[in-house]
Amino acid sequence: MAGKKYVEACKLIEKGKTYNYVEAVALAKKTNCANFDASVEVSFNLNVDPRHADQAIRGAMVLPNGTGKSKKILVITRGAKEQEAKDAGADIVGGKEILEDIKKGWFDFDIIVATPDMMAELGKLGKILGPKGLMPNPKTGTVTMNVANAVHEIKKGKVEYRVDKEGNINVMIGKCSFTEEALAENFKALYDVILRARPAAVKGAYMKSVTLSTTMGPAVKVTIE
């Protein structure tokens, strides 16, 4: 059964109405039901078939105002790149020895950045890292020789987006404590990136629906522009 707060929050949203993104952000903040600094998320439902490689939308971007959430970064590399990663602010840096720890079930990190020369070793852990969404990927900038830049971007508020098999993309764009302006700016930056990622094969409408919501709040439908 829905809680009293949630029911009251739903009353603030007009049934069947879509809101422009600035209004939607304000409404999502207003209808937040959590007693903590809840996350604000955007959900896109796209008219794509991810079974086709050219429609499997995936990438990463730095949100203008960050996400409000810090990520623990593990860099897998060797040689001079280890110092480069440490200087850039990576939380954990190492090579093969860390991969042994992961094999044994250690996961005290949020994201992995790796240099290309370590990918053959990392690939052996595909069955462990893949299902957790932790395998580094060149498309998201987490397999790179420029580890310092990768670490800086993640610290600044880099988010990854990836379409699931139902054609949905869900991305956190900040916290309820953010100003409406900061959230709106983050939303627009992400919206534009997803819009530009439209596959050439898509016929008709590309975005079926876009909704904004907080961790425990109701969904607010956003007008597709």
Side-chain angles (χ1 to χ4, degrees), residues 63-85:
L63 292 171
N65 304 295
T67 61
K69 186 184 175 190
S70 60
K71 285 186 174 178
K72 201 167 186 182
I73 305 167
L74 163 62
V75 176
I76 304 286
T77 188
R78 57 186 164 203
K81 290 283 165 188
E82 289 197 21
Q83 195 55 49
E84 185 186 315

Side-chain angles (χ1 to χ4, degrees), residues 19-218:
Y19 296 84
N20 76 49
Y21 73 95
V22 176
E23 292 173 325
V25 160
L27 204 45
K29 271 176 67 97
K30 205 173 175 180
T31 55
N32 170 38
C33 305
N35 300 323
F36 52 88
D37 190 11
S39 299
V40 181
E41 289 197 1
V42 187
S43 296
F44 296 87
N45 181 236
L46 306 175
N47 175 27
V48 296
D49 185 351
R51 290 173 301 180
H52 299 290
D54 62 332
Q55 295 182 51
I57 297 165
R58 183 177 188 180
M61 64 169 294
V62 178
L63 292 171
N65 304 295
T67 61
K69 186 184 175 190
S70 60
K71 285 186 174 178
K72 201 167 186 182
I73 305 167
L74 163 62
V75 176
I76 304 286
T77 188
R78 57 186 164 203
K81 290 283 165 188
E82 289 197 21
Q83 195 55 49
E84 185 186 315
K86 284 173 188 167
D87 292 345
D91 300 281
I92 311 145
V93 182
K96 280 187 184 178
E97 73 287 352
I98 284 187
L99 300 185
E100 287 304 316
D101 292 338
I102 293 170
K103 264 186 212 168
K104 292 171 191 165
W106 173 78
F107 291 103
D108 190 19
F109 53 88
D110 300 306
I111 190 164
I112 302 177
V113 173
T115 43
D117 58 339
M118 298 303 288
M119 285 311 290
E121 292 297 324
L122 259 168
K124 295 172 188 172
L125 302 183
K127 283 182 180 168
I128 302 171
L129 297 172
K132 291 181 182 285
L134 290 168
M135 183 57 87
N137 188 296
K139 279 189 182 175
T140 58
T142 46
V143 177
T144 175
M145 282 306 284
N146 193 346
V147 290
N149 185 58
V151 170
H152 288 318
E153 285 193 336
I154 294 164
K155 294 279 184 191
K156 269 196 298 193
K158 187 177 192 176
V159 289
E160 292 185 11
Y161 53 87
R162 184 180 191 174
V163 70
D164 67 17
K165 56 180 188 285
E166 272 83 45
N168 300 309
I169 291 178
N170 302 304
V171 182
M172 176 187 171
I173 59 159
K175 297 279 198 175
C176 278
S177 56
F178 280 29
T179 64
E180 287 173 20
E181 291 77 13
L183 285 169
E185 202 181 341
N186 278 356
F187 173 90
K188 186 72 169 73
L190 174 67
Y191 184 94
D192 290 347
V193 165
I194 303 297
L195 197 60
R196 285 197 297 272
R198 177 185 176 130
V202 171
K203 299 286 179 273
Y206 166 50
M207 290 187 182
K208 292 195 216 169
S209 69
V210 182
T211 54
L212 256 172
S213 61
T214 57
T215 308
M216 290 161 72

